[in-house]
Amino acid sequence: MTADPTRVLVLNSGSSSVKYQLLDMRDASRLAIGLVERIGEDSARLVHTPLTGEGAGTKRERTERIEDHAAALKAVSQELERDGLGLDSPELAAIGHRVVHGGLKFSEPSLIDDEVLAEIERLVPVAPLHNPANLTGIRTAQALRPDLPQVAVFDTAFHTTMPEYASRYAIDIATADEHRIRRYGFHGTSHAYVSRKTAALLGRDPSEVNVIVLHLGNGASASAVAGGRCVDTSMGMTPLEGLVMGTRSGDIDPAVVFHLGRVAGMSLDETDELLNKKSGLIGLCGDNDMREIGRRIGEGDERAQLAFDVYIHRLKKYIGAYTAVLGRVDALVFTAGVGENAAPVREAAVAGLETIGFAVDAERNAVRSDVPRIISPDDARVAVAVVPTDEELEIAQQTFALVGDARTV
Ligand code: AMP
């Protein structure tokens, strides 16, 4: 009798890119990681790093024409094959796909069948940038291994527990329902993983703790998690709402859109591009990388300082709002690229919030580390923590659990 397969391939498919990780779920170790970018161009690039065997840790790069997602996955498969990790291996248990929008229907990861595919397709109007790319990734992987279980893990799923009063916009309810307009929230895989890890860091069960999670990457979102369930989140019907992000505005008066149309003569597409790609930190100061902004602030650059201040002001507003939503907060946790690495952001975000229980210890905050850690003083009312996120591991675990359950039925 052969042992049950234990490997999971995680795929995150964008419109012109695919990021992937192959994990062994016996010990949650990474066997290989990589990405393909500029799919459809002559100079597409594949960067692959095996993390096991002879070449472990040695990055391999290929630049060539990669026609489409099918060609990209074939190239990935070839690279994995060279490491003895080919996708045709009987050790591969499943492929887990990150799917951005699962609407209201998907509150859990789902084994992909025709019905699930049709529902992801139905959600394209509310996620026009993401869901089509996710669908392409799924169909390509299905064509490559039609026999293998494929699982969709939705970015929105963790947020489906929000009470209706938190997910409703105060607009005409019939219009909202007809067009499925409501707060869905995103980065759910990260919020779920990080809030659970934070409870473990506190030595408590997730059902006992209330946590504010600040996922601060190039995209950024906050969530209020009560006893392991999301009760509010800052991203809305799309990932545009909420915090100031690398290139997105976050919260804005919707009348700005009418104004830009009527007074500046901007089309809806131009305004969409302005708010999604040319706003946030990059719109305010020309840079979206917090490292560069920090460097410019050090040189006395006023634009960079303004961008930082707007970013921090918005963060503080959400920390205050979610403190009110939760009533009692046990932990405030920072994660993702900025949250995990930018000590000045963490310090500034809680500065002045001592009266509502938040403080960081300067020395603890300055430590650079990739393990979950508490950065508040010992006597703080609320634990302030840094917990590295790991969306791929969470997707792999959810995928493997679902496939394992399916096997034992
Ligand atoms: P993510 O989307 O989670 O990969 O985060 C990407 C962002 O993290 C980058 O755009 C940077 O702004 C930020 N970042 C990464 N490393 C650092 C660092 N050492 N200090 C400050 N910001 C960082």
Side-chain angles (χ1 to χ4, degrees):
M1 204 178 84
T2 51
D4 283 337
T6 57
R7 290 180 190 159
V8 173
L9 178 73
V10 175
L11 286 183
N12 182 352
S13 308
S15 54
S16 64
S17 70
V18 176
K19 291 190 196 130
Y20 63 93
Q21 294 199 1
L22 183 67
L23 294 94
D24 188 334
M25 301 316 292
R26 281 174 300 189
D27 55 0
S29 61
R30 258 81 175 170
L31 302 174
I33 60 173
L35 84 150
V36 188
E37 51 190 6
R38 300 196 292 268
I39 294 172
E41 293 182 29
D42 284 336
S43 61
R45 196 167 75 112
L46 188 160
V47 185
H48 175 87
T49 311
L51 298 171
T52 182
E54 258 173 40
T58 308
K59 194 189 277 187
R60 302 200 294 268
E61 263 192 64
R62 290 164 56 168
T63 303
E64 64 201 36
R65 173 150 190 87
I66 295 183
E67 192 73 37
D68 52 19
H69 282 71
L73 210 56
K74 205 166 271 170
V76 170
S77 184
Q78 284 165 1
E79 291 304 319
L80 287 166
E81 191 76 58
R82 280 179 62 183
D83 305 318
L85 301 167
L87 294 184
D88 52 1
S89 162
E91 289 177 72
L92 190 60
I95 301 181
H97 296 268
R98 175 184 186 218
V99 179
V100 167
H101 216 308
L104 285 182
K105 199 156 178 177
F106 296 113
S107 56
E108 301 286 341
S110 296
L111 209 51
I112 296 171
D113 57 16
D114 288 348
E115 209 174 299
V116 170
L117 277 175
E119 186 59 27
I120 298 172
E121 183 102 57
R122 269 196 288 276
L123 288 161
V124 165
V126 283
L129 297 178
H130 296 103
N131 275 28
N134 300 155
L135 278 169
T136 305
I138 293 170
R139 291 195 173 115
T140 308
Q142 282 180 324
L144 198 73
R145 281 293 307 267
D147 55 315
L148 205 64
Q150 315 251 345
V151 174
V153 178
F154 299 93
D155 245 23
T156 45
F158 183 61
H159 305 302
T160 55
T161 53
M162 270 186 292
E164 192 173 357
Y165 56 75
S167 61
R168 280 276 180 199
Y169 293 113
I171 64 170
D172 173 66
I173 201 155
T175 307
D177 285 348
E178 185 184 346
H179 298 288
R180 290 185 283 187
I181 298 167
R182 57 159 61 222
R183 176 182 312 289
Y184 293 100
F186 299 88
H187 292 145
T189 314
S190 175
H191 287 280
Y193 176 84
V194 168
S195 56
R196 227 179 38 241
K197 279 264 168 191
T198 303
L201 182 66
L202 301 181
R204 305 195 29 206
D205 191 80
S207 64
E208 296 169 0
V209 292
N210 290 350
V211 185
I212 298 174
V213 181
L214 301 176
H215 175 111
L216 310 179
N218 201 23
S221 63
S223 70
V225 183
R229 292 165 69 83
C230 177
V231 293
D232 205 353
T233 193
S234 61
M235 281 180 168
M237 184 181 94
T238 76
L240 181 56
E241 195 181 348
L243 300 175
V244 175
M245 310 184 210
T247 65
R248 296 184 204 131
S249 64
D251 295 338
I252 191 170
D253 180 346
V256 170
V257 177
F258 320 142
H259 182 80
L260 287 172
R262 290 179 190 132
V263 177
M266 282 175 71
S267 70
L268 285 176
D269 284 345
E270 284 166 340
T271 308
D272 190 330
E273 164 128 352
L274 176 84
L275 296 180
N276 274 296
K277 305 252 173 76
K278 299 178 182 164
S279 295
L281 293 171
I282 210 162
L284 285 164
C285 77
D287 271 308
N288 63 335
D289 192 315
M290 201 49 91
R291 287 165 286 205
E292 186 58 17
I293 291 171
R295 194 192 59 72
R296 284 173 55 186
I297 291 172
E299 289 174 350
D301 186 316
E302 286 178 14
R303 278 285 184 81
Q305 184 68 56
L306 176 67
F308 185 85
D309 292 346
V310 174
Y311 185 93
I312 296 296
H313 182 65
R314 187 79 51 84
L315 270 181
K316 277 188 200 273
K317 290 210 284 192
Y318 272 92
I319 295 170
Y322 288 173
T323 300
V325 165
L326 289 170
R328 186 200 82 231
V329 183
D330 299 295
L332 169 71
V333 54
F334 290 87
T335 194
V338 175
E340 291 166 30
N341 296 298
V345 168
R346 299 192 295 255
E347 183 189 340
V350 300
L353 302 187
E354 294 82 3
T355 50
I356 53 169
F358 300 99
V360 296
D361 175 274
E363 248 174 64
R364 288 178 180 174
N365 188 35
V367 172
R368 297 191 64 83
S369 159
D370 55 7
V371 298
R373 58 202 183 274
I374 290 177
I375 58 169
S376 45
D378 288 335
D379 60 355
R381 240 184 328 159
V382 179
V384 180
V386 181
V387 174
T389 193
D390 196 338
E391 290 170 275
E392 289 78 14
L393 176 61
E394 179 74 11
I395 291 171
Q397 281 173 337
Q398 293 194 11
T399 298
F400 194 61
L402 192 67
V403 171
D405 286 350
R407 248 200 313 266
T408 54
V409 169

